[in-house]
Amino acid sequence: MTVSVIPVGPQHPVFLEPFQLKLVVEDEVVSEALPRFGYVHRGLEALVVSKDFRQMTRVAERICGICSAIHGMTYCRAIEKLLGITPPPRAQMLRLVWSELHRMHSHLLWLGLFAEAMGFESLFMQIFRIRETVMDILEQTTGNRVIISVNVIGGVRRDLDAEGADGIRRALKKVAGDLERIRPVLVDDYSVRKRTEEKGILAKERAYELGAVGPVLRASGISQDIRRTGYGAYGELDFEPVVESGGDCQARCKVRYRELFQSMDLIRSGLDRLSDGEIQTKSKEKPEGEILVRSEQPRGEVVYYIRADGSKHLQRLRIRTPTFANMAALMDLLPGLDLADVPLVTLSLDPCIACTER
Amino acid sequence: MGMMKHLMVRSRRRSLWMMHFCLGGCNGCSIEIMAALTPMYDLERFGILNTGNPKHTDVLLVGGSVNHRNRRTLKNLIDQIPAPRLIVAVGTCALTGGIFNEAYNIIGGANRVVDVDVYVPGCPPKPEAVIDGILSGLDKFEQ
Amino acid sequence: MLESTSLVDADRLHSHAGNLKENGWRLVGMTGVAREGGVDLFYHFDRELKMTNLKVETEEDETIPSIGDQFPGAWIHENEIQDQFGIRFDGLDPDYRRLFFLEENVEATPICRGVSARVSKEPGK
């Protein structure tokens, strides 16, 4: 048996972002995997030294472009709790709508990249075409495509008029129809199933023990969703976490596919319940105290820790991002895989290196 | 021979291969570059094809700021790209370091390590701007 | 002060973490906060959407036992704390020796106000 070490990355066609996996390979089977990070590490937690707590909202949004709305929202929620203010109900509901739109664009991006990792170029193009509808609504309602910057401390920056809400409803109908059309390919197609079924199985107990979060944990059969804690406007809406039991790449794909429909339901009922009123509660206070706040991102649970001493600058900001927690699960999955499956299984966890390294 | 050379130079700008490499940013530019490749914006209509191999690359899109670890990776990649090559910095981070410029692990924009030909500002720039940035640098291949 | 946080000694950390593990708690993350003369280490745990925290107050250059044998996902959190604050973890596997996110030329991280930065902004070699 020949043992060799293969470095995958930092630049690799399948990974959008630079990170390296050192794979110890015996013939064609991976026996050990060691990651190397730091190519995206910026040290933005330390920016609290030079930027005040309001400016940090913009930094929090730029931790990761794919889940920026939810990063911004979580940061604002933490500061609002420290200030002792509550955003008006309309702002809470608008935050929910934009967060779920962001979740949709993230999941569609992932589905597209997943198709590309399988070598299914035309499916990748189709999914990105569907995704553009979501990007168009984001641009119409917020003015930007990716980093929408709608969250401010105390509420949201922009309001949504009736025309905008109707636009969202119409676009969602179109997206739902388009997604139904690709379902047979994603779920039933022979080559897709051959590529994804029983690849990279993460057992239920092991997933929990390793601290996996989000769709990865739910695909392994554990019903855990931080939105169920009812933060923001999520407490008013009724929904059940999407759970699959397979624990393989196919299950993770199905979870994200079904979550797209769940997000659409949440947006629709959110728009129906949108109350009139203000969109921002203003406060001139400075934050003081210590707090831990959690949200559900497209990739799972994000945890913000903030310590503030009543001055303009925060003392400490610490962000535990979802992919950071999922990395341990990834390193547990890789040994035993065929070398050819490594990119696909790695991608099936939806690694966001910009989040991981901050 | 003159005719052949003329033909080569003329056709090269219509058949470029591009690669994108994301450095220390938020990844937003990277997903807009991906969006520029897909049916809505369709960079391929200009003959520009996405590749993952630096040795096949004519156009390199760099997104994000340079930090202490990825600076060697970027330099290494650029050294593998054969001349003539076009290097496009996409997004504010790749231009100046952007919002992260003060962070302790960030050195600055992509021009701290490589010679950048085209700068595309925006946080993130729209796919149209990315396409415009690439096309405005194409004259480099006719020299 | 964070809700439901218990202050524990570094040498009792293992048994506390073991107790939580037996009762079905999941390690959510770790947070380090610099204070005068040391670091406050928080261990966050979750069970059925409820959180509990352990707090360890470390002195400068103290070695803390790793909880990697109880929570196999702890290595990534501990390696990051080691990068940022220079705390050593006993039994950490894999151990990146302060090179997890940082290069050798980054000596200290101004992760907290009051802790100075000694980082060169020059590209170097």
Side-chain angles (χ1 to χ4, degrees):
Chain A
M1 192 166 301
T2 348
V3 177
S4 41
V5 181
I6 300 182
V8 179
Q11 189 270 330
H12 188 276
V14 167
F15 307 143
L16 220 57
E17 294 165 279
F19 92 111
Q20 194 178 39
L21 282 173
K22 280 202 181 99
L23 302 172
V24 181
V25 180
E26 287 170 13
D27 289 340
E28 280 288 294
V29 181
V30 178
S31 66
E32 207 189 323
L34 199 67
R36 185 173 150 89
F37 298 106
Y39 299 98
V40 194
H41 181 59
R42 291 150 278 174
L44 61 83
E45 287 170 359
L47 284 177
V48 288
V49 181
S50 54
K51 297 204 190 304
D52 73 31
F53 73 96
R54 287 181 202 279
Q55 292 171 325
M56 279 307 284
T57 320
R58 304 283 91 89
V59 178
E61 273 163 356
R62 280 161 182 79
I63 291 167
C64 162
I66 314 178
C67 17
S68 80
I70 306 179
H71 267 302
M73 181 184 78
T74 315
Y75 176 80
C76 289
R77 274 178 52 222
I79 297 288
E80 281 153 13
K81 276 196 179 176
L82 289 176
L83 293 173
I85 56 173
T86 327
R90 184 176 176 84
Q92 303 254 28
M93 201 52 98
L94 286 174
R95 278 182 181 178
L96 180 142
V97 168
W98 278 313
S99 308
E100 292 303 318
L101 280 172
H102 236 87
R103 190 184 313 278
M104 286 181 69
H105 116 67
S106 168
H107 279 357
L108 282 167
L109 179 95
W110 178 84
L111 279 174
L113 294 178
F114 190 61
E116 203 201 15
M118 285 189 279
F120 204 154
E121 195 82 10
S122 53
L123 183 60
F124 159 71
M125 293 289 183
Q126 284 298 330
I127 292 170
F128 264 65
R129 190 179 55 82
I130 302 172
R131 180 173 168 271
E132 285 300 325
T133 319
V134 181
M135 303 306 282
D136 282 346
I137 329 174
L138 283 173
E139 193 176 357
Q140 278 162 19
T141 54
T142 67
N144 208 347
R145 281 164 54 90
V146 177
I147 294 179
I148 58 176
S149 290
V150 282
N151 294 292
V152 286
I153 290 158
V156 287
R157 190 170 53 85
R158 272 175 185 258
D159 207 348
L160 191 69
D161 52 11
E163 201 185 327
D166 278 342
I168 296 182
R169 285 199 191 89
R170 271 198 309 277
L172 288 187
K173 207 170 164 192
K174 182 167 177 288
V175 173
D178 287 345
L179 278 175
E180 283 295 345
R181 286 219 328 266
I182 60 160
R183 183 202 287 269
V185 186
L186 271 178
V187 180
D188 303 325
D189 185 80
Y190 173 78
S191 6
V192 172
R193 283 177 54 183
K194 199 85 181 158
R195 206 63 221 277
T196 56
E197 271 181 2
E198 294 181 12
K199 294 284 188 317
I201 298 179
L202 189 61
K204 191 173 172 176
E205 291 75 25
R206 191 68 184 153
Y208 189 79
E209 191 181 40
L210 286 163
V213 293
V216 178
L217 190 61
R218 291 196 283 277
S220 293
I222 294 174
S223 164
Q224 190 239 42
D225 193 326
I226 306 300
R227 285 176 290 177
R228 296 281 289 168
T229 55
Y231 63 82
Y234 284 103
E236 296 172 35
L237 304 179
D238 193 33
F239 68 98
E240 282 296 317
V242 175
V243 181
E244 289 279 340
S245 55
D248 54 1
C249 290
Q250 175 78 350
R252 292 193 271 277
C253 179
K254 276 186 189 157
V255 164
R256 293 194 176 96
Y257 180 78
R258 285 172 52 200
E259 278 188 5
L260 281 166
F261 288 92
Q262 184 191 43
S263 290
M264 283 189 254
D265 288 343
L266 284 171
I267 296 169
R268 281 196 206 100
S269 40
L271 287 175
D272 290 342
R273 285 160 190 250
L274 202 57
S275 52
D276 292 330
E278 291 288 308
I279 54 165
Q280 194 187 355
T281 311
K282 296 232 159 82
S283 169
K284 286 212 161 79
E285 303 288 306
K286 303 234 164 44
E288 187 170 5
E290 213 176 1
I291 197 148
L292 204 62
V293 166
R294 294 195 287 172
S295 296
E296 182 78 13
Q297 277 195 340
R299 287 160 188 74
E301 160 199 51
V302 63
V303 185
Y304 271 61
Y305 169 91
I306 289 178
R307 185 187 274 188
D309 59 354
S311 70
K312 208 166 71 164
H313 296 273
L314 302 177
Q315 242 180 339
R316 173 84 167 108
L317 167 69
R318 156 86 180 150
I319 305 139
R320 201 287 269 134
T321 50
T323 313
F324 196 72
N326 277 338
M327 272 302 159
L330 175 63
M331 293 314 135
D332 196 65
L333 274 181
L334 292 179
L337 283 179
D338 285 343
L339 187 59
D341 287 330
V342 168
L344 192 71
V345 170
T346 309
L347 204 77
S348 78
L349 270 80
D350 202 356
C352 174
I353 310 301
C355 269
T356 310
E357 303 181 0
R358 298 174 304 280
Chain B
M1 257 336 263
M3 176 76 183
M4 273 307 280
K5 193 161 184 221
H6 178 70
L7 209 67
M8 211 172 81
V9 169
R10 286 281 300 169
S11 47
R12 187 157 53 196
R13 66 176 287 161
R14 285 277 170 188
S15 61
L16 297 171
W17 286 23
M18 66 145 254
M19 186 175 85
H20 70 97
F21 187 58
C22 183
L23 304 168
C26 75
N27 209 9
C29 303
S30 190
I31 57 185
E32 289 296 66
I33 294 168
M34 288 308 270
L37 288 165
T38 51
M40 185 75 98
Y41 300 99
D42 200 13
L43 199 49
E44 284 186 21
R45 72 198 139 117
F46 301 106
I48 296 170
L49 201 67
N50 190 23
T51 175
N53 187 340
K55 303 230 166 181
H56 298 167
T57 301
D58 302 298
V59 183
L60 177 73
L61 304 185
V62 183
S65 44
V66 176
N67 75 11
H68 289 274
R69 185 162 286 175
N70 66 29
R71 125 181 92 84
R72 248 169 303 164
T73 317
L74 180 62
K75 207 152 174 31
N76 197 356
L77 267 182
I78 303 260
D79 289 344
Q80 291 179 66
I81 300 176
R85 58 182 176 226
L86 180 70
I87 294 167
V88 184
V90 179
T92 313
C93 292
L95 265 58
T96 63
I99 197 167
F100 306 119
N101 198 25
E102 295 161 12
Y104 62 81
N105 205 33
I106 293 292
I107 297 172
N111 58 4
R112 297 293 294 268
V113 178
V114 297
D115 294 326
V116 178
D117 296 304
V118 182
Y119 295 90
V120 183
C123 186
K126 288 181 162 194
E128 291 100 326
V130 176
I131 294 174
D132 189 49
I134 299 173
L135 296 185
S136 61
L138 287 189
D139 286 344
K140 198 179 178 189
F141 293 97
E142 287 198 359
Q143 284 159 15
Chain C
M1 192 68 183
L2 284 181
E3 281 170 33
S4 60
T5 303
S6 37
L7 188 65
V8 297
D9 283 336
D11 38 328
R12 301 269 301 143
L13 177 66
H14 237 106
S15 63
H16 277 99
N19 265 340
L20 289 169
K21 163 105 182 169
E22 265 170 39
N23 291 319
W25 292 82
R26 170 177 68 94
L27 180 70
V28 168
M30 281 170 67
T31 301
V33 186
R35 62 172 157 77
E36 207 113 324
V39 178
D40 290 347
L41 268 187
F42 292 95
Y43 292 74
H44 314 298
F45 297 91
D46 159 284
R47 188 179 66 182
E48 284 160 10
L49 305 180
K50 292 270 184 309
M51 287 195 93
T52 189
N53 308 296
L54 296 180
K55 183 180 176 188
V56 181
E57 290 181 350
T58 72
E59 303 300 319
E60 213 153 316
D61 299 325
E62 197 182 332
T63 304
I64 307 288
S66 162
I67 57 165
D69 48 344
Q70 287 153 332
F71 294 93
W75 61 269
I76 187 160
H77 304 286
E78 288 173 350
N79 268 308
E80 198 196 9
I81 300 275
Q82 187 168 296
D83 258 26
Q84 292 174 334
F85 299 102
I87 297 177
R88 302 284 301 163
F89 287 91
D90 193 23
L92 179 58
D93 177 46
D95 186 355
Y96 285 79
R97 302 187 178 279
R98 286 211 70 224
L99 299 176
F100 189 51
F101 282 164
L102 304 177
E103 284 287 281
E104 279 113 340
N105 59 335
V106 185
E107 287 165 14
T109 56
I111 209 77
C112 229
R113 245 192 303 153
V115 184
S116 66
R118 293 197 306 272
V119 183
S120 149
K121 275 263 176 189
E122 285 310 305
K125 49 183 182 297

